[in-house]
Amino acid sequence: MQLYDTRSRSIREFRPLAPPNVTMYCCGPTVYDVTHIGHMRKYIMDDILKRALRAEGYLVKHVMNITDVGHLSDDADLGEDKLEKGARKHGKSVWDVAAEYTAFFHETMRKVGVEPPDIEPKATDHIEGMVALIRDLEAHGYTYETAQAVYFDTRKFAAYGALSGQKLEDKQVAVRDDVHADPDKRRPQDFALWFKRVGRFANHTMHWDSPWGDGFPGWHIECSAMSMAYLGPEIDIHTGGIDHIPVHHENEIAQSEAATGKQFVQFWVHHNFLMVDGRKMSKSLGNVYTYLDLEARGINPLAVRYLFLQSHYRQEMNFTWEAAAAAQTAFERLRGLETALRASEPLPVTTDAALKTKTTFRAAIADDLNTAKALAVLWEALGNAAIPAGEKRTLLAEFDAVFGFGLAQLPAWERKPLTDLPPDVTKLLKQRADARSRKDWAAADALREELASRGYTVEDAGGTTLVYSKEL
Ligand code: AMP
Ligand code: ZN
Protein backbone atom coordinates (compact mmCIF):
# COMPACT_ATOMS: atom_id res chain seq x y z
CA MET A 1 0.00 0.00 0.00
CA GLN A 2 1.19 3.50 -0.84
CA LEU A 3 0.71 5.97 1.98
CA TYR A 4 1.56 9.63 2.39
CA ASP A 5 3.92 10.38 5.27
CA THR A 6 3.94 13.97 6.49
CA ARG A 7 7.44 13.80 7.94
CA SER A 8 9.15 12.74 4.70
CA ARG A 9 6.59 14.70 2.64
CA SER A 10 6.22 11.79 0.26
CA ILE A 11 4.05 8.88 -0.69
CA ARG A 12 5.91 5.73 0.25
CA GLU A 13 5.31 2.04 0.15
CA PHE A 14 3.92 1.10 3.53
CA ARG A 15 5.86 -1.64 5.26
CA PRO A 16 5.41 -2.28 8.95
CA LEU A 17 8.38 -2.83 11.24
CA ALA A 18 7.24 -6.32 12.18
CA PRO A 19 4.88 -7.74 9.57
CA PRO A 20 2.15 -8.90 9.66
CA ASN A 21 1.63 -6.70 12.71
CA VAL A 22 0.87 -3.00 12.38
CA THR A 23 0.88 -0.61 15.32
CA MET A 24 -1.33 2.44 14.94
CA TYR A 25 -1.82 5.28 17.41
CA CYS A 26 -4.56 7.84 16.75
CA CYS A 27 -4.87 11.05 18.73
CA GLY A 28 -8.28 10.87 20.33
CA PRO A 29 -10.90 13.42 21.29
CA THR A 30 -10.65 15.98 24.06
CA VAL A 31 -13.90 15.20 25.85
CA TYR A 32 -15.12 18.62 26.95
CA ASP A 33 -17.92 19.13 24.45
CA VAL A 34 -19.90 17.38 21.71
CA THR A 35 -18.33 15.36 18.90
CA HIS A 36 -19.20 17.12 15.64
CA ILE A 37 -19.16 16.12 12.00
CA GLY A 38 -15.58 17.45 11.61
CA HIS A 39 -14.42 14.95 14.24
CA MET A 40 -16.50 12.30 12.48
CA ARG A 41 -14.51 12.77 9.31
CA LYS A 42 -11.22 12.28 11.13
CA TYR A 43 -12.22 9.10 12.96
CA ILE A 44 -13.97 7.64 9.91
CA MET A 45 -10.72 8.07 7.97
CA ASP A 46 -8.72 6.37 10.75
CA ASP A 47 -11.26 3.55 10.57
CA ILE A 48 -10.90 3.27 6.79
CA LEU A 49 -7.11 3.12 7.09
CA LYS A 50 -7.36 0.35 9.66
CA ARG A 51 -9.86 -1.61 7.53
CA ALA A 52 -7.74 -1.14 4.41
CA LEU A 53 -4.66 -2.49 6.21
CA ARG A 54 -6.63 -5.43 7.43
CA ALA A 55 -7.88 -6.13 3.91
CA GLU A 56 -4.20 -6.25 2.86
CA GLY A 57 -3.69 -9.03 5.40
CA TYR A 58 -2.15 -7.05 8.27
CA LEU A 59 -3.02 -7.50 11.93
CA VAL A 60 -3.60 -4.01 13.22
CA LYS A 61 -3.23 -3.03 16.86
CA HIS A 62 -5.12 0.23 17.16
CA VAL A 63 -4.79 2.54 20.15
CA MET A 64 -6.75 5.77 20.49
CA ASN A 65 -6.59 7.86 23.63
CA ILE A 66 -9.18 9.94 25.41
CA THR A 67 -7.80 13.32 26.46
CA ASP A 68 -9.48 14.26 29.72
CA VAL A 69 -6.89 16.63 31.19
CA GLY A 70 -4.13 19.02 30.15
CA HIS A 71 -5.27 20.12 26.65
CA LEU A 72 -5.23 23.90 26.88
CA SER A 73 -7.48 26.09 24.74
CA ASP A 74 -4.40 27.01 22.75
CA ASP A 75 -2.38 24.01 21.52
CA ALA A 76 0.72 25.62 22.99
CA ASP A 77 0.94 26.55 26.67
CA LEU A 78 -1.59 29.37 26.62
CA GLY A 79 -5.19 29.55 27.75
CA GLU A 80 -6.96 27.28 30.17
CA ASP A 81 -7.62 23.55 30.31
CA LYS A 82 -10.44 22.63 27.93
CA LEU A 83 -11.98 20.31 30.52
CA GLU A 84 -12.13 23.06 33.13
CA LYS A 85 -13.69 25.34 30.53
CA GLY A 86 -16.25 22.66 29.60
CA ALA A 87 -17.13 22.13 33.27
CA ARG A 88 -17.82 25.83 33.74
CA LYS A 89 -19.85 26.08 30.56
CA HIS A 90 -22.02 23.06 31.36
CA GLY A 91 -22.24 23.71 35.11
CA LYS A 92 -20.88 20.26 35.96
CA SER A 93 -17.77 18.71 37.46
CA VAL A 94 -14.83 18.01 35.13
CA TRP A 95 -15.28 14.30 35.77
CA ASP A 96 -18.96 14.40 34.80
CA VAL A 97 -18.18 16.42 31.69
CA ALA A 98 -15.50 13.90 30.68
CA ALA A 99 -17.83 10.93 31.23
CA GLU A 100 -20.74 12.55 29.41
CA TYR A 101 -18.81 13.60 26.30
CA THR A 102 -16.87 10.35 26.14
CA ALA A 103 -20.26 8.62 25.95
CA PHE A 104 -21.41 11.08 23.26
CA PHE A 105 -18.24 10.35 21.29
CA HIS A 106 -18.86 6.60 21.55
CA GLU A 107 -22.46 6.96 20.41
CA THR A 108 -21.35 9.10 17.45
CA MET A 109 -18.76 6.51 16.44
CA ARG A 110 -21.36 3.75 16.63
CA LYS A 111 -23.72 5.75 14.40
CA VAL A 112 -21.09 6.24 11.70
CA GLY A 113 -19.81 2.67 11.82
CA VAL A 114 -16.39 3.35 13.37
CA GLU A 115 -15.05 0.24 15.10
CA PRO A 116 -13.85 0.80 18.65
CA PRO A 117 -10.03 0.78 18.93
CA ASP A 118 -8.38 -2.25 20.51
CA ILE A 119 -7.27 -0.12 23.44
CA GLU A 120 -8.70 3.24 24.48
CA PRO A 121 -6.57 4.66 27.30
CA LYS A 122 -7.67 7.71 29.27
CA ALA A 123 -5.00 10.30 30.06
CA THR A 124 -6.08 10.51 33.72
CA ASP A 125 -5.42 6.76 34.12
CA HIS A 126 -1.80 7.14 32.96
CA ILE A 127 -0.36 9.92 35.10
CA GLU A 128 2.29 7.61 36.56
CA GLY A 129 3.63 6.71 33.12
CA MET A 130 3.77 10.38 32.17
CA VAL A 131 5.65 11.29 35.35
CA ALA A 132 8.10 8.46 34.68
CA LEU A 133 8.68 9.71 31.14
CA ILE A 134 9.25 13.29 32.32
CA ARG A 135 11.72 12.03 34.93
CA ASP A 136 13.53 10.14 32.22
CA LEU A 137 13.75 13.26 30.06
CA GLU A 138 14.90 15.21 33.09
CA ALA A 139 17.62 12.66 33.85
CA HIS A 140 18.92 13.04 30.29
CA GLY A 141 19.01 16.82 30.49
CA TYR A 142 16.11 17.67 28.20
CA THR A 143 14.06 19.66 30.69
CA TYR A 144 14.16 22.73 32.91
CA GLU A 145 11.94 23.76 35.74
CA THR A 146 10.42 27.15 36.53
CA ALA A 147 8.13 28.27 39.34
CA GLN A 148 5.15 27.40 37.14
CA ALA A 149 6.04 24.34 35.12
CA VAL A 150 8.55 21.79 33.85
CA TYR A 151 9.46 22.46 30.22
CA PHE A 152 10.97 20.50 27.39
CA ASP A 153 14.07 22.37 26.26
CA THR A 154 13.72 22.33 22.46
CA ARG A 155 17.28 23.63 22.05
CA LYS A 156 18.48 20.18 23.12
CA PHE A 157 16.58 18.38 20.36
CA ALA A 158 18.21 19.13 17.01
CA ALA A 159 15.39 17.71 14.86
CA TYR A 160 12.77 20.00 16.41
CA GLY A 161 10.58 21.43 13.63
CA ALA A 162 11.33 18.67 11.09
CA LEU A 163 7.74 17.43 10.91
CA SER A 164 6.14 20.71 9.98
CA GLY A 165 9.19 21.95 8.12
CA GLN A 166 8.76 25.23 9.93
CA LYS A 167 11.96 27.05 10.52
CA LEU A 168 12.48 27.80 14.16
CA GLU A 169 12.85 31.51 13.39
CA ASP A 170 9.41 31.53 11.67
CA LYS A 171 7.89 29.90 14.65
CA GLN A 172 9.50 32.39 16.96
CA VAL A 173 8.13 35.29 14.98
CA ALA A 174 4.69 33.69 14.93
CA VAL A 175 4.58 33.18 18.65
CA ARG A 176 6.39 36.31 19.75
CA ASP A 177 3.24 38.42 19.72
CA ASP A 178 1.61 36.22 22.33
CA VAL A 179 1.79 37.09 25.96
CA HIS A 180 3.73 34.36 27.66
CA ALA A 181 2.11 33.41 30.89
CA ASP A 182 5.42 32.20 32.29
CA PRO A 183 8.22 34.81 32.25
CA ASP A 184 10.83 32.11 32.92
CA LYS A 185 10.02 30.03 29.85
CA ARG A 186 13.18 30.28 27.77
CA ARG A 187 11.92 29.96 24.22
CA PRO A 188 8.38 30.20 22.84
CA GLN A 189 8.59 26.74 21.27
CA ASP A 190 9.58 25.09 24.57
CA PHE A 191 6.52 23.36 25.91
CA ALA A 192 5.19 22.28 29.27
CA LEU A 193 5.52 18.66 30.33
CA TRP A 194 4.06 19.31 33.78
CA PHE A 195 2.02 22.31 34.95
CA LYS A 196 2.27 23.16 38.62
CA ARG A 197 -0.90 23.97 40.53
CA VAL A 198 0.13 27.59 41.06
CA GLY A 199 -0.69 30.98 39.54
CA ARG A 200 -3.32 30.70 36.80
CA PHE A 201 -3.70 27.00 37.63
CA ALA A 202 -3.92 27.42 41.43
CA ASN A 203 -7.52 26.20 41.41
CA HIS A 204 -7.15 23.48 38.81
CA THR A 205 -9.56 20.70 39.74
CA MET A 206 -7.65 17.71 38.38
CA HIS A 207 -4.25 17.41 40.02
CA TRP A 208 -1.72 14.81 41.09
CA ASP A 209 1.37 14.65 43.22
CA SER A 210 4.71 14.60 41.36
CA PRO A 211 8.44 15.14 41.92
CA TRP A 212 7.84 18.77 40.84
CA GLY A 213 4.91 19.30 43.16
CA ASP A 214 1.16 19.09 42.84
CA GLY A 215 -0.06 19.64 39.28
CA PHE A 216 -1.13 18.06 36.01
CA PRO A 217 0.50 16.87 32.77
CA GLY A 218 0.75 18.76 29.49
CA TRP A 219 -1.30 17.41 26.60
CA HIS A 220 1.67 16.33 24.45
CA ILE A 221 3.34 14.09 27.03
CA GLU A 222 0.07 12.18 27.33
CA CYS A 223 0.22 10.82 23.80
CA SER A 224 3.93 9.98 24.02
CA ALA A 225 3.41 8.08 27.27
CA MET A 226 0.28 6.24 26.20
CA SER A 227 1.56 5.19 22.79
CA MET A 228 4.81 3.96 24.35
CA ALA A 229 2.92 2.08 27.07
CA TYR A 230 0.81 0.08 24.60
CA LEU A 231 2.77 0.04 21.35
CA GLY A 232 6.42 0.38 22.37
CA PRO A 233 9.05 3.00 21.43
CA GLU A 234 8.66 2.62 17.65
CA ILE A 235 5.29 2.55 15.98
CA ASP A 236 4.20 2.16 12.37
CA ILE A 237 1.45 4.76 12.04
CA HIS A 238 0.37 7.80 14.00
CA THR A 239 -2.65 9.84 12.90
CA GLY A 240 -4.22 13.18 13.72
CA GLY A 241 -5.79 16.24 12.16
CA ILE A 242 -3.53 18.63 10.21
CA ASP A 243 -3.87 21.10 13.08
CA HIS A 244 -1.68 18.75 15.13
CA ILE A 245 1.34 18.97 12.85
CA PRO A 246 3.07 22.17 14.01
CA VAL A 247 2.75 21.83 17.78
CA HIS A 248 1.26 18.64 19.18
CA HIS A 249 2.99 16.12 16.94
CA GLU A 250 6.21 18.08 16.71
CA ASN A 251 6.30 17.95 20.51
CA GLU A 252 5.42 14.26 20.66
CA ILE A 253 8.36 13.49 18.38
CA ALA A 254 10.75 15.59 20.50
CA GLN A 255 9.71 13.91 23.76
CA SER A 256 9.55 10.35 22.47
CA GLU A 257 12.75 10.41 20.44
CA ALA A 258 14.70 12.26 23.13
CA ALA A 259 13.65 9.60 25.64
CA THR A 260 14.24 6.49 23.53
CA GLY A 261 16.78 7.50 20.89
CA LYS A 262 14.62 5.68 18.33
CA GLN A 263 12.46 6.85 15.46
CA PHE A 264 9.07 7.26 17.11
CA VAL A 265 6.82 6.88 14.04
CA GLN A 266 7.31 5.42 10.55
CA PHE A 267 4.28 7.03 8.91
CA TRP A 268 2.62 10.25 10.00
CA VAL A 269 -0.89 10.35 8.57
CA HIS A 270 -2.77 13.65 8.79
CA HIS A 271 -6.38 14.29 7.85
CA ASN A 272 -7.53 17.56 6.43
CA PHE A 273 -10.40 19.64 7.77
CA LEU A 274 -14.10 19.57 7.19
CA MET A 275 -15.56 23.01 6.54
CA VAL A 276 -19.23 23.96 6.62
CA ASP A 277 -20.62 26.11 3.82
CA GLY A 278 -17.07 27.28 3.15
CA ARG A 279 -16.37 28.32 6.73
CA LYS A 280 -14.61 26.67 9.63
CA MET A 281 -16.98 24.93 11.97
CA SER A 282 -17.36 26.93 15.13
CA LYS A 283 -19.85 27.50 17.89
CA SER A 284 -19.97 31.26 17.23
CA LEU A 285 -21.02 30.73 13.61
CA GLY A 286 -23.72 28.30 14.73
CA ASN A 287 -22.54 25.69 12.22
CA VAL A 288 -21.39 22.94 14.54
CA TYR A 289 -23.44 19.87 13.68
CA THR A 290 -23.59 16.53 15.46
CA TYR A 291 -25.15 13.20 14.49
CA LEU A 292 -28.35 14.43 16.19
CA ASP A 293 -28.61 17.32 13.70
CA LEU A 294 -28.15 14.89 10.83
CA GLU A 295 -30.88 12.62 12.11
CA ALA A 296 -33.22 15.56 12.73
CA ARG A 297 -32.91 16.36 9.02
CA GLY A 298 -33.58 12.80 7.97
CA ILE A 299 -29.94 12.06 7.12
CA ASN A 300 -28.57 8.70 8.20
CA PRO A 301 -25.11 9.33 9.76
CA LEU A 302 -23.85 6.42 7.61
CA ALA A 303 -24.80 8.50 4.55
CA VAL A 304 -22.35 11.12 5.83
CA ARG A 305 -19.73 8.39 5.99
CA TYR A 306 -20.53 7.81 2.32
CA LEU A 307 -20.19 11.54 1.68
CA PHE A 308 -16.76 11.71 3.32
CA LEU A 309 -15.49 8.77 1.27
CA GLN A 310 -16.23 10.75 -1.87
CA SER A 311 -13.30 13.04 -1.17
CA HIS A 312 -9.67 12.33 -0.38
CA TYR A 313 -8.63 12.50 3.27
CA ARG A 314 -5.79 14.93 2.51
CA GLN A 315 -8.09 17.43 0.80
CA GLU A 316 -10.07 20.02 2.66
CA MET A 317 -13.73 19.17 2.34
CA ASN A 318 -16.77 21.39 2.37
CA PHE A 319 -19.97 20.15 3.97
CA THR A 320 -23.32 21.35 2.63
CA TRP A 321 -26.81 20.02 3.36
CA GLU A 322 -27.34 19.56 -0.40
CA ALA A 323 -24.30 17.29 -0.60
CA ALA A 324 -25.51 15.38 2.47
CA ALA A 325 -28.94 14.89 0.88
CA ALA A 326 -27.35 13.64 -2.35
CA ALA A 327 -25.17 11.23 -0.36
CA GLN A 328 -28.28 10.04 1.45
CA THR A 329 -29.98 9.25 -1.89
CA ALA A 330 -26.91 7.39 -3.15
CA PHE A 331 -26.56 5.50 0.12
CA GLU A 332 -30.23 4.50 -0.01
CA ARG A 333 -29.75 3.18 -3.53
CA LEU A 334 -26.76 1.20 -2.36
CA ARG A 335 -28.74 -0.27 0.50
CA GLY A 336 -31.58 -1.07 -1.90
CA LEU A 337 -29.22 -2.91 -4.24
CA GLU A 338 -27.62 -4.80 -1.36
CA THR A 339 -31.05 -5.90 -0.18
CA ALA A 340 -31.96 -7.08 -3.68
CA LEU A 341 -28.70 -9.07 -3.86
CA ARG A 342 -29.64 -10.94 -0.70
CA ALA A 343 -31.92 -13.01 -2.94
CA SER A 344 -28.79 -14.53 -4.55
CA GLU A 345 -26.37 -16.94 -2.90
CA PRO A 346 -22.89 -15.44 -2.62
CA LEU A 347 -20.56 -16.96 -5.22
CA PRO A 348 -16.76 -17.11 -5.27
CA VAL A 349 -15.34 -14.48 -7.61
CA THR A 350 -14.24 -16.25 -10.80
CA THR A 351 -15.45 -14.33 -13.84
CA ASP A 352 -12.96 -12.06 -15.56
CA ALA A 353 -15.14 -8.99 -15.07
CA ALA A 354 -15.45 -9.57 -11.31
CA LEU A 355 -11.75 -10.36 -10.88
CA LYS A 356 -10.82 -7.20 -12.74
CA THR A 357 -13.13 -5.16 -10.52
CA LYS A 358 -11.54 -6.64 -7.43
CA THR A 359 -8.05 -5.73 -8.63
CA THR A 360 -9.08 -2.18 -9.55
CA PHE A 361 -10.73 -1.69 -6.17
CA ARG A 362 -7.66 -2.90 -4.31
CA ALA A 363 -5.39 -0.68 -6.37
CA ALA A 364 -7.56 2.38 -5.63
CA ILE A 365 -7.43 1.78 -1.87
CA ALA A 366 -3.71 0.99 -2.01
CA ASP A 367 -3.18 4.34 -3.75
CA ASP A 368 -3.03 6.38 -0.52
CA LEU A 369 -6.68 5.51 0.19
CA ASN A 370 -8.37 6.75 -2.95
CA THR A 371 -11.84 6.09 -1.55
CA ALA A 372 -13.62 8.16 -4.23
CA LYS A 373 -12.19 5.94 -6.94
CA ALA A 374 -13.04 2.83 -4.92
CA LEU A 375 -16.66 3.98 -4.62
CA ALA A 376 -16.81 4.48 -8.37
CA VAL A 377 -15.48 0.93 -8.84
CA LEU A 378 -18.22 -0.34 -6.55
CA TRP A 379 -20.95 1.30 -8.64
CA GLU A 380 -19.40 0.05 -11.87
CA ALA A 381 -19.41 -3.48 -10.47
CA LEU A 382 -23.04 -3.27 -9.40
CA GLY A 383 -24.10 -2.07 -12.86
CA ASN A 384 -21.91 -4.52 -14.76
CA ALA A 385 -24.12 -7.07 -16.57
CA ALA A 386 -21.11 -9.36 -17.08
CA ILE A 387 -20.88 -10.04 -13.33
CA PRO A 388 -23.40 -12.58 -11.99
CA ALA A 389 -25.52 -11.48 -9.01
CA GLY A 390 -23.92 -14.02 -6.65
CA GLU A 391 -20.45 -12.62 -7.42
CA LYS A 392 -21.73 -9.09 -7.00
CA ARG A 393 -22.88 -10.05 -3.55
CA THR A 394 -19.43 -11.38 -2.68
CA LEU A 395 -17.70 -8.32 -4.10
CA LEU A 396 -20.00 -5.97 -2.23
CA ALA A 397 -19.26 -7.75 1.06
CA GLU A 398 -15.51 -7.51 0.39
CA PHE A 399 -15.66 -3.85 -0.53
CA ASP A 400 -17.83 -3.07 2.45
CA ALA A 401 -15.23 -4.61 4.76
CA VAL A 402 -13.15 -1.54 3.79
CA PHE A 403 -15.92 1.06 3.48
CA GLY A 404 -17.47 0.02 6.78
CA PHE A 405 -21.13 0.74 6.04
CA GLY A 406 -22.01 -2.59 7.63
CA LEU A 407 -24.52 -3.19 4.82
CA ALA A 408 -25.06 -6.86 5.58
CA GLN A 409 -25.86 -6.02 9.21
CA LEU A 410 -28.43 -3.37 8.34
CA PRO A 411 -32.07 -4.35 8.17
CA ALA A 412 -33.36 -5.06 4.66
CA TRP A 413 -34.16 -1.83 2.92
CA GLU A 414 -37.84 -1.49 2.35
CA ARG A 415 -38.24 1.07 -0.29
CA LYS A 416 -40.98 0.13 -2.69
CA PRO A 417 -41.90 2.23 -5.71
CA LEU A 418 -45.43 3.59 -5.71
CA THR A 419 -47.87 1.87 -8.03
CA ASP A 420 -51.13 3.66 -7.35
CA LEU A 421 -50.60 7.25 -8.48
CA PRO A 422 -53.15 10.07 -8.64
CA PRO A 423 -54.10 11.18 -12.21
CA ASP A 424 -52.34 14.58 -12.02
CA VAL A 425 -49.09 12.84 -11.09
CA THR A 426 -49.49 10.32 -13.91
CA LYS A 427 -50.02 13.24 -16.29
CA LEU A 428 -46.83 14.97 -15.15
CA LEU A 429 -44.91 11.71 -15.51
CA LYS A 430 -46.21 11.31 -19.06
CA GLN A 431 -45.15 14.88 -19.90
CA ARG A 432 -41.71 14.16 -18.44
CA ALA A 433 -41.34 10.94 -20.43
CA ASP A 434 -42.24 12.89 -23.60
CA ALA A 435 -39.72 15.61 -22.77
CA ARG A 436 -37.03 12.96 -22.24
CA SER A 437 -37.78 11.29 -25.55
CA ARG A 438 -37.43 14.71 -27.24
CA LYS A 439 -34.14 15.06 -25.29
CA ASP A 440 -35.53 18.25 -23.81
CA TRP A 441 -33.61 17.84 -20.54
CA ALA A 442 -34.52 21.29 -19.24
CA ALA A 443 -38.22 20.52 -19.49
CA ALA A 444 -37.70 17.06 -17.99
CA ASP A 445 -35.83 18.57 -15.05
CA ALA A 446 -38.52 21.19 -14.50
CA LEU A 447 -41.12 18.42 -14.38
CA ARG A 448 -38.97 16.46 -11.92
CA GLU A 449 -38.88 19.57 -9.72
CA GLU A 450 -42.64 19.94 -10.04
CA LEU A 451 -43.10 16.32 -8.94
CA ALA A 452 -40.65 16.84 -6.05
CA SER A 453 -42.62 19.86 -4.84
CA ARG A 454 -45.68 17.56 -4.65
CA GLY A 455 -43.75 15.00 -2.59
CA TYR A 456 -42.64 12.54 -5.27
CA THR A 457 -39.14 11.52 -6.25
CA VAL A 458 -38.44 9.96 -9.62
CA GLU A 459 -35.67 7.54 -10.53
CA ASP A 460 -34.93 6.35 -14.04
CA ALA A 461 -33.54 2.84 -13.99
CA GLY A 462 -33.26 0.14 -16.60
CA GLY A 463 -35.53 1.87 -19.13
CA THR A 464 -38.37 2.53 -16.71
CA THR A 465 -39.18 5.34 -14.34
CA LEU A 466 -39.88 4.49 -10.73
CA VAL A 467 -41.75 6.86 -8.44
CA TYR A 468 -41.27 7.02 -4.68
CA SER A 469 -42.89 8.99 -1.95
CA LYS A 470 -40.43 11.54 -0.54
CA GLU A 471 -41.22 10.53 3.02
CA LEU A 472 -39.27 7.37 3.42
P1 AMP B 1 -9.93 17.62 19.63
O1 AMP B 1 -11.07 16.97 20.32
O2 AMP B 1 -10.09 19.09 19.47
O3 AMP B 1 -8.61 17.24 20.24
O4 AMP B 1 -9.93 17.06 18.14
C1 AMP B 1 -9.94 15.70 17.88
C2 AMP B 1 -9.51 15.45 16.45
O5 AMP B 1 -10.49 15.93 15.54
C3 AMP B 1 -8.21 16.12 16.07
O6 AMP B 1 -7.39 15.20 15.36
C4 AMP B 1 -8.62 17.27 15.20
O7 AMP B 1 -7.65 17.55 14.24
C5 AMP B 1 -9.87 16.72 14.53
N1 AMP B 1 -10.80 17.78 14.09
C6 AMP B 1 -11.32 18.80 14.82
N2 AMP B 1 -12.11 19.60 14.06
C7 AMP B 1 -12.09 19.07 12.80
C8 AMP B 1 -12.69 19.42 11.54
N3 AMP B 1 -13.50 20.47 11.41
N4 AMP B 1 -12.44 18.62 10.48
C9 AMP B 1 -11.63 17.53 10.58
N5 AMP B 1 -11.03 17.16 11.74
C10 AMP B 1 -11.25 17.91 12.83
ZN1 ZN C 1 -2.08 13.22 20.57
Side-chain angles (χ1 to χ4, degrees):
M1 182 188 288
Q2 300 285 315
L3 201 56
Y4 184 81
D5 163 44
T6 308
R7 194 171 187 177
S8 60
R9 286 174 197 77
S10 62
I11 294 189
R12 298 183 359 237
E13 176 69 25
F14 175 73
R15 279 190 223 292
L17 292 164
N21 299 304
V22 172
T23 47
M24 172 162 152
Y25 184 91
C26 303
C27 286
T30 305
V31 285
Y32 70 109
D33 213 326
V34 292
T35 304
H36 55 63
I37 56 174
H39 300 124
M40 273 184 205
R41 184 182 186 209
K42 191 262 172 193
Y43 297 105
I44 286 171
M45 288 308 178
D46 284 345
D47 193 51
I48 295 288
L49 174 56
K50 168 165 129 184
R51 289 166 182 273
L53 290 164
R54 214 188 269 150
E56 291 273 315
Y58 292 118
L59 303 171
V60 184
K61 187 166 174 192
H62 175 206
V63 177
M64 186 211 70
N65 70 293
I66 297 280
T67 297
D68 53 359
V69 68
H71 189 174
L72 304 194
S73 47
D74 182 288
D75 279 1
D77 297 333
L78 303 169
E80 71 175 312
D81 190 311
K82 289 189 181 187
L83 263 293
E84 301 268 326
K85 205 170 157 184
R88 217 179 37 246
K89 178 182 154 189
H90 301 289
K92 293 181 179 156
S93 77
V94 277
W95 302 101
D96 285 348
V97 164
E100 193 172 313
Y101 292 107
T102 302
F104 192 93
F105 173 79
H106 287 150
E107 183 59 4
T108 305
M109 294 301 108
R110 203 178 61 76
K111 293 272 180 184
V112 293
V114 169
E115 258 186 30
D118 299 299
I119 305 167
E120 193 182 271
K122 276 199 300 195
T124 49
D125 288 340
H126 292 76
I127 306 295
E128 252 178 62
M130 295 167 202
V131 168
L133 186 54
I134 302 169
R135 289 191 73 152
D136 200 24
L137 290 168
E138 189 177 44
H140 289 90
Y142 286 103
T143 68
Y144 61 89
E145 193 176 343
T146 72
Q148 296 188 24
V150 178
Y151 290 102
F152 186 96
D153 188 348
T154 51
R155 249 182 341 181
K156 305 271 171 65
F157 187 74
Y160 193 83
L163 180 69
S164 60
Q166 255 180 312
K167 284 200 220 76
L168 229 43
E169 308 84 71
D170 295 347
K171 208 163 180 177
Q172 270 165 322
V173 172
V175 197
R176 198 176 292 148
D177 297 337
D178 290 330
V179 182
H180 291 295
D182 186 347
D184 298 323
K185 185 168 158 174
R186 293 182 194 155
R187 299 205 306 176
Q189 62 272 29
D190 291 351
F191 55 91
L193 301 164
W194 188 262
F195 290 106
K196 299 182 184 178
R197 200 165 177 250
V198 295
R200 67 188 161 138
F201 296 126
N203 297 316
H204 207 264
T205 327
M206 292 173 158
H207 56 104
W208 295 264
D209 202 17
S210 84
W212 316 279
D214 194 24
F216 60 98
W219 173 40
H220 320 297
I221 197 76
E222 299 178 4
C223 285
S224 286
M226 289 185 276
S227 70
M228 247 180 243
Y230 294 101
L231 300 172
E234 293 172 291
I235 62 175
D236 294 310
I237 299 175
H238 190 127
T239 78
I242 49 165
D243 52 326
H244 287 171
I245 300 171
V247 180
H248 184 49
H249 288 167
E250 202 78 83
N251 296 353
E252 278 189 44
I253 292 174
Q255 299 161 152
S256 303
E257 299 191 356
T260 68
K262 297 189 166 136
Q263 187 177 330
F264 176 36
V265 171
Q266 305 300 314
F267 279 78
W268 281 98
V269 175
H270 289 104
H271 307 93
N272 210 321
F273 270 118
L274 181 75
M275 312 290 280
V276 175
D277 292 322
R279 296 193 287 185
K280 194 157 195 292
M281 222 178 313
S282 81
K283 282 263 149 62
S284 56
L285 292 173
N287 62 1
V288 174
Y289 302 123
T290 70
Y291 80 88
L292 293 168
D293 298 302
L294 297 175
E295 289 184 339
R297 297 204 191 200
I299 308 263
N300 185 336
L302 283 171
V304 170
R305 184 177 180 105
Y306 182 98
L307 175 70
F308 292 166
L309 298 189
Q310 287 176 308
S311 72
H312 193 256
Y313 75 90
R314 285 196 284 122
Q315 303 286 321
E316 186 174 285
M317 185 183 178
N318 189 36
F319 177 89
T320 64
W321 287 105
E322 291 72 29
Q328 168 84 3
T329 305
F331 182 65
E332 278 167 9
R333 268 193 69 208
L334 183 61
R335 282 191 69 185
L337 291 168
E338 193 272 342
T339 303
L341 286 174
R342 290 186 195 183
S344 314
E345 277 303 308
L347 287 175
V349 171
T350 54
T351 57
D352 283 350
L355 286 168
K356 195 166 157 241
T357 301
K358 209 171 144 157
T359 311
T360 321
F361 179 88
R362 224 179 129 184
I365 293 294
D367 178 17
D368 194 27
L369 303 179
N370 190 342
T371 49
K373 171 89 188 291
L375 271 179
V377 174
L378 168 85
W379 284 110
E380 265 162 39
L382 290 173
N384 190 336
I387 304 178
E391 291 191 31
K392 278 185 184 160
R393 189 169 170 193
T394 306
L395 284 176
L396 189 52
E398 277 187 33
F399 296 172
D400 196 27
V402 177
F403 289 136
F405 297 124
L407 291 170
Q409 286 84 52
L410 293 173
W413 193 231
E414 286 175 17
R415 187 167 181 253
K416 298 198 178 69
L418 301 173
T419 46
D420 202 12
L421 295 165
D424 57 327
V425 174
T426 314
K427 199 168 143 203
L428 288 170
L429 283 169
K430 169 88 179 58
Q431 288 174 7
R432 181 169 173 274
D434 291 344
R436 280 167 61 82
S437 60
R438 290 196 309 274
K439 298 201 188 315
D440 184 351
W441 307 119
D445 278 351
L447 285 154
R448 179 198 282 274
E449 293 281 305
E450 172 64 27
L451 284 157
S453 72
R454 295 177 189 216
Y456 296 92
T457 54
V458 216
E459 275 179 26
D460 306 297
T464 53
T465 297
L466 303 175
V467 183
Y468 298 90
S469 162
K470 264 185 111 176
E471 291 89 50
L472 287 164

